[in-house]
Structures are given as C-alpha cells and as structure tokens.
Amino acid sequence: MKTTKQLVLLLLLVTFTFSCGSDDDPNPPQTTNNEAIINGITHQLISASLGLDTGPSYNNQFSLVFTDGLIKVNSSNVPTVDINSTTMGIGIFVDLGSTPLSTEQAIVNNITTTTYNLNDDTSAITNVVNFNNTYLDNGIQYGEFDETGATTYEVNNLGNGTVTINTFSVDLAARTGIIDCDFSFTDENGVLISGNFNGSLTIHDDR
C-alpha cells in the first residue's frame, strides 16, 4: 500500500480543525465549496478520488485525493491527472481500525458522517510542472505528479489534522461516488492546509 501512498504523494505529494502548537492559528481560514488554502494561497478543487486497499485482506483505512485538474484512474487503478490543467494536489489518509477486513464494502460501511484524525502519510503538493508515466486518453494527456521543482507539504510525525465527512456515498461496481467533506491539517513545519470539497469522486487502489 505504500507504493500508492507514494504515488499519491508524487501525484499530488489531506477537515480540518486542529492546532499544532502555541503559535498555530486555532481557526483555519474559511473556505467555500471546492477550495483549498495552502500556506495562505487559495486553489480551486476540481476532482476527487477515494483510495481503498486492494485486498484480499483489506486494510481498514481509506485515502482521499483532491486536485485542481481532472483525475482519471488508469488501467492499473492508479489516480492520474490532466497534466495540462493540474498544478496541485492534496492526499489525506485515515486509519479506521487495525484489523483487516474481508471486502471493500466492509471498509466503505465504516466511512460515516463524522470527524476523523489524519495519519502521517497526509500531504499536499503545489507548483507542479513535471509528470511521470504520461499517456493520452480521448485527447487528454494524463500522468502522475513528479515532485521535482514542486513545493511539498508533508505531515509526517510532527503535523496533524482532521477530515469531517458531511455526506458520503459510493457505488463500488461503477467505481464512482459523491462526497462533501471539510479538512484541515498542518505539515511538519507548521504550514496550514485547509479546504472543502463537495462533488463526485472516482475510486482507485491504495497498495
């Protein structure tokens, strides 16, 4: 599963209310629907994707990827982005429990309208200009984020954050769904990232 976490990290190298120290602002900047504020700069969020473990013993956790461009899950079930319209991404990761489950549906059943703490794989990336593993689909060129030349924000062991799920529904057969969520986290250097997304999502593999 670490491979996809790294892909998400590079692909976008994640709501949020918390504090990371006495110098942090306890009230994150207010965002409207489908916006993220990263280090004081506002970005529009266009697409989202839900990551679930590949099994057959499914880790009881999920991820959410948000970008300012189109997301397409490729033939390997990895989220890729439109390289001509995408410059940033956010990847948030949530542990639901330590005991593996037997199906994807069991994980989805555990995702409810509540607030979750984010784990240390959560991150964001901005100013992306390079992409890996590019391919053409219906006239649009997609690829995975390359962090070379980009600005990255990683939670690791020093940051923290939350995501609040307001609305959530998925169709595992169609690999689509909808979500309304608010998120906020600080990276390991105390930089604040917060935002909201309300819209449709695709489903990709975390592995």
Side-chain angles (χ1 to χ4, degrees):
M1 166 155 193
K2 192 65 178 178
T3 300
T4 296
K5 288 180 178 179
Q6 292 172 340
L7 286 171
V8 169
L9 199 64
L10 298 177
L11 194 177
L12 27 81
L13 223 187
V14 300
T15 274
F16 309 167
T17 59
F18 66 78
S19 64
C20 185
S22 60
D23 294 331
D24 291 336
D25 183 355
N27 299 305
Q30 295 300 305
T31 57
T32 58
N33 283 347
N34 302 333
E35 283 187 353
I37 299 175
I38 303 176
N39 200 19
I41 298 174
T42 300
H43 303 265
Q44 296 297 313
L45 298 180
I46 302 299
S47 302
S49 190
L50 169 71
L52 300 172
D53 191 32
T54 56
S57 179
Y58 295 86
N59 290 326
N60 193 11
Q61 56 195 46
F62 69 93
S63 67
L64 289 166
V65 173
F66 306 102
T67 76
D68 63 346
L70 295 176
I71 293 177
K72 179 177 177 59
V73 178
N74 67 17
S75 59
S76 298
N77 289 322
V78 171
T80 59
V81 296
D82 177 357
I83 70 172
N84 293 309
S85 67
T86 308
T87 63
M88 57 76 63
I90 297 170
I92 64 176
F93 293 85
V94 174
D95 295 321
L96 295 169
S98 58
T99 302
L101 302 177
S102 59
T103 64
E104 276 188 324
Q105 187 62 60
I107 301 173
V108 168
N109 291 344
N110 282 345
I111 304 174
T112 61
T113 52
T114 189
T115 297
Y116 297 99
N117 291 324
L118 304 178
N119 76 23
D120 58 12
D121 288 306
T122 296
S123 61
I125 187 170
T126 60
N127 304 316
V128 180
V129 293
N130 296 301
F131 299 84
N132 296 319
N133 301 321
T134 59
Y135 64 97
L136 192 66
D137 184 86
N138 290 326
I140 299 175
Q141 194 167 18
Y142 294 92
E144 302 164 20
F145 283 159
D146 182 338
E147 66 180 337
T148 303
T151 305
T152 58
Y153 305 87
E154 302 178 33
V155 168
N156 293 324
N157 295 325
L158 299 178
N160 59 15
T162 61
V163 58
T164 297
I165 308 294
N166 304 308
T167 303
F168 177 77
S169 176
V170 300
D171 182 338
L172 288 176
R175 311 305 283 176
T176 60
I178 59 171
I179 191 169
D180 178 0
C181 69
D182 302 283
F183 56 86
S184 179
F185 64 93
T186 53
D187 76 352
E188 59 188 349
N189 297 309
V191 175
L192 178 64
I193 295 95
S194 63
N196 167 275
F197 183 84
N198 184 0
S200 61
L201 54 77
T202 57
I203 299 176
H204 65 271
D205 288 347
D206 274 344
R207 49 188 161 181

